[in-house]
Amino acid sequence: MLLIKNGRVMNPATGMDEVTDVWVKDGRIVGFGDAAEKATDSARSGATPADRSDGEEGREPEQVIDASGCIVAPGLVDVHVHFRDPGFTYKEDLETGSAAAAAGGYTTVVCMANTKPVVDCPEVLDDILKRAEALPIHVKQVSAVSKNFEGKELVDFEEMARHGACGFTDDGIPLTDAGLIRKAMEMAAKVDLPISLHEEDPSLNEINGINKGVISDQMGLGGAPAVSEDVMVARDVMLALETGAKVDIQHISSGRSVDLVRYAKQKGARVFAEATPHHFSLTEEDVLNYGTMCKMNPPVRTSWDKAKIIEGLMDGTIDMIATDHAPHAQEEKEREFSAAPSGIIGLETALALGVTNLVKRGYLSMMDLLARMTLNPARLYGFDCGDISEGKAADIVIFCPDEVWQVEHFASKASNSPFLGAQLCGKVRCTICDGKVVYRA
């Protein structure tokens, strides 16, 4: 039995917010507070009266974690990560990606399908899910929408769902064919799984990874305008309304797109939206300071766009915070801006950026931040996690919300982050998955 003592237990699923103890047995939460007897009775429910005659002996926890001064919350859930496995394991792999997730407080993550080979057939999917069984956290896998990410022929949605795909996306490659995406939404609705969309019209972008505006002009780069996102979001939220599909607008970056998602939700569309920590923390001006470490698709945009994203997080238009954890090798990011790949890592700094830039600045309550990093992403995929009620799996993060720390190193294989060296508030002290400690600071 595991006892977590004296922590502030916060559970968005029930609204629980109190300083109490948490009791864990056989990977599940069996009680709160002075629940030793209850936990013991649950654990020994099959015992005979003679077995119970040893009195208090069975009530002693085998492991005790003192969470004084810390928040005890559901393990974080990230619906958007790139573990680069198979095919690009020099950047990241399932093991190092899982270690980075655990260090950041995550117990469930969803891997994107842009591997090599692409996850577009049962054989590739089966291999990943089989290897994921041995990982310390829960690693889920989506299927591609189109075969080989070519945007021409759809995968077999029903077959991929039968083999364990939790959703569908061609993330990284926007789907420009409206007819194809409508058909894909119909197929996703049929198997009742979400379809997640990278919203940029490539025909409107000159250079990916930087917002088209004053900074791109100053750097002599064409940039990617916000309208390239807006036109795709407008199309897809209307198709979501038409088809009834559960549609996730990934890594939203444009303020106008936030308004479009809000409108679609008001009309009854099953539309969800993600915001990344870098999109609510940075603006295009930061590109001048961080260079390629601030290059990502879609790009960070203006202060107005950032404010609109925060507004969307505040009013619930944006349901989830997702990292888009995108590792790259150091030598790749050291190329000139136009030649460097887009993307940054994010699993190990996401919670602290949320605490620092959203909670400490009064935009979100701690409970609201946790809902957007636990309960809401779990609901998108129908996962049985993001909830630390009695009887639920003991997937737990323990973090100190007031501890200031400096980002100095990563468990990830990569280090491509503009936040390296930053001082952030909110330190993960311990991550527990299925009742087992998988990270401890």
Side-chain angles (χ1 to χ4, degrees):
M1 189 183 301
L2 166 66
L3 170 61
I4 303 169
K5 294 173 52 179
N6 306 321
R8 179 185 175 188
V9 179
M10 300 188 72
N11 187 13
T14 62
M16 182 181 187
D17 183 0
E18 62 180 278
V19 176
T20 188
D21 298 340
V22 182
W23 295 83
V24 175
K25 180 70 175 180
D26 295 331
R28 297 205 164 264
I29 295 167
V30 293
F32 296 93
D34 187 16
E37 184 166 354
K38 183 176 182 180
T40 303
D41 288 346
S42 174
R44 302 170 61 201
S45 59
T48 66
D51 293 327
R52 298 190 188 101
S53 64
D54 56 2
E56 299 295 319
E57 201 170 4
R59 298 179 185 175
E60 292 300 319
E62 297 159 358
Q63 186 177 8
V64 177
I65 297 174
D66 188 351
S68 299
C70 292
I71 290 173
V72 179
L76 307 182
V77 180
D78 193 346
V79 298
H80 193 155
V81 303
H82 300 267
F83 281 179
R84 310 299 194 196
D85 191 347
F88 304 101
T89 53
Y90 69 93
K91 301 173 187 262
E92 192 82 283
D93 56 45
L94 290 174
E95 288 75 20
T96 60
S98 296
Y106 288 89
T107 54
T108 301
V109 299
V110 177
C111 288
M112 298 296 99
N114 59 336
T115 51
K116 186 177 182 180
V118 169
V119 187
D120 62 359
C121 64
E123 292 76 17
V124 178
L125 177 61
D126 290 346
D127 168 66
I128 294 171
L129 293 180
K130 180 65 176 177
R131 291 188 287 126
E133 292 174 2
L135 298 173
I137 66 164
H138 304 293
V139 174
K140 313 289 188 179
Q141 180 65 56
V142 294
S143 164
V145 170
S146 68
K147 291 186 178 180
N148 202 35
F149 270 29
E150 293 177 354
K152 297 177 181 178
E153 183 182 357
L154 296 178
V155 303
D156 187 327
F157 277 56
E158 293 184 347
E159 183 178 33
M160 295 301 279
R162 282 196 302 271
H163 281 258
C166 61
F168 301 87
T169 182
D170 274 12
D171 176 61
I173 306 294
L175 288 160
T176 57
D177 186 327
L180 183 86
I181 193 61
R182 175 175 179 155
K183 180 64 175 177
M185 287 188 190
E186 291 170 347
M187 296 302 298
K190 186 175 180 180
V191 296
D192 196 25
L193 290 175
I195 182 168
S196 301
L197 302 170
H198 182 125
E199 303 289 44
E200 288 187 283
D201 186 335
S203 69
L204 297 175
N205 291 352
E206 295 178 51
I207 295 291
N208 289 333
I210 183 172
N211 183 55
K212 184 174 178 58
V214 293
I215 303 302
S216 65
D217 289 346
Q218 185 176 331
M219 294 177 66
L221 301 171
V227 72
S228 77
E229 179 175 300
D230 299 334
V231 296
M232 299 281 277
V233 171
R235 179 197 72 178
D236 290 339
V237 297
M238 290 298 98
L239 287 174
L241 189 62
E242 175 75 14
T243 62
K246 186 188 289 187
V247 173
D248 172 26
I249 304 299
Q250 296 179 300
H251 41 45
I252 200 164
S253 70
S254 163
R256 291 192 298 261
S257 288
V258 176
D259 290 335
L260 289 166
V261 169
R262 183 182 294 110
Y263 174 79
K265 283 176 176 267
Q266 291 170 350
K267 293 299 181 182
R270 299 173 71 197
V271 171
F272 297 75
E274 312 165 2
T276 71
H278 44 276
H279 284 112
F280 66 66
S281 298
L282 303 172
T283 70
E284 61 182 351
E285 295 179 357
D286 290 296
V287 176
L288 296 175
N289 296 323
Y290 301 118
T292 61
M293 292 299 177
C294 202
K295 180 181 181 181
M296 63 280 293
N297 298 340
V300 291
R301 301 197 188 274
T302 67
S303 296
W304 178 83
D305 291 296
K306 175 180 149 182
K308 291 287 288 184
I309 289 168
I310 293 172
E311 174 190 287
L313 285 164
M314 291 172 66
D315 70 10
T317 297
I318 300 174
D319 310 83
M320 302 163 290
I321 292 170
T323 67
D324 192 12
H325 178 81
H328 293 293
Q330 181 177 342
E331 59 270 21
E332 293 174 320
K333 276 293 194 177
E334 288 178 346
R335 299 170 186 162
E336 65 178 273
F337 195 93
S338 60
S342 293
I344 63 172
I345 60 172
L347 284 164
E348 296 172 68
T349 53
L351 178 60
L353 287 167
V355 173
T356 303
N357 293 329
L358 297 176
V359 176
K360 295 297 184 182
R361 296 183 181 182
Y363 296 119
L364 293 181
S365 68
M366 186 64 75
M367 190 71 85
D368 285 339
L369 174 68
L370 290 172
R372 283 147 185 75
M373 300 186 78
T374 61
L375 181 66
N376 291 359
R379 283 178 171 171
L380 170 66
Y381 281 96
F383 295 153
D384 187 18
C385 60
D387 180 0
I388 50 172
S389 301
E390 185 174 332
K392 294 290 187 179
D395 292 351
I396 297 168
V397 60
I398 302 171
F399 67 98
C400 182
D402 299 317
E403 182 176 350
V404 177
W405 60 288
Q406 186 166 339
V407 183
E408 294 179 321
H409 55 80
F410 298 102
S412 170
K413 193 177 288 189
S415 59
N416 52 307
S417 169
F419 305 110
L420 188 63
Q423 287 200 330
L424 301 176
C425 200
K427 177 68 174 175
V428 174
R429 307 306 307 174
C430 185
T431 305
I432 299 164
C433 188
D434 286 332
K436 298 176 183 177
V437 175
V438 295
Y439 171 81
R440 199 159 187 176

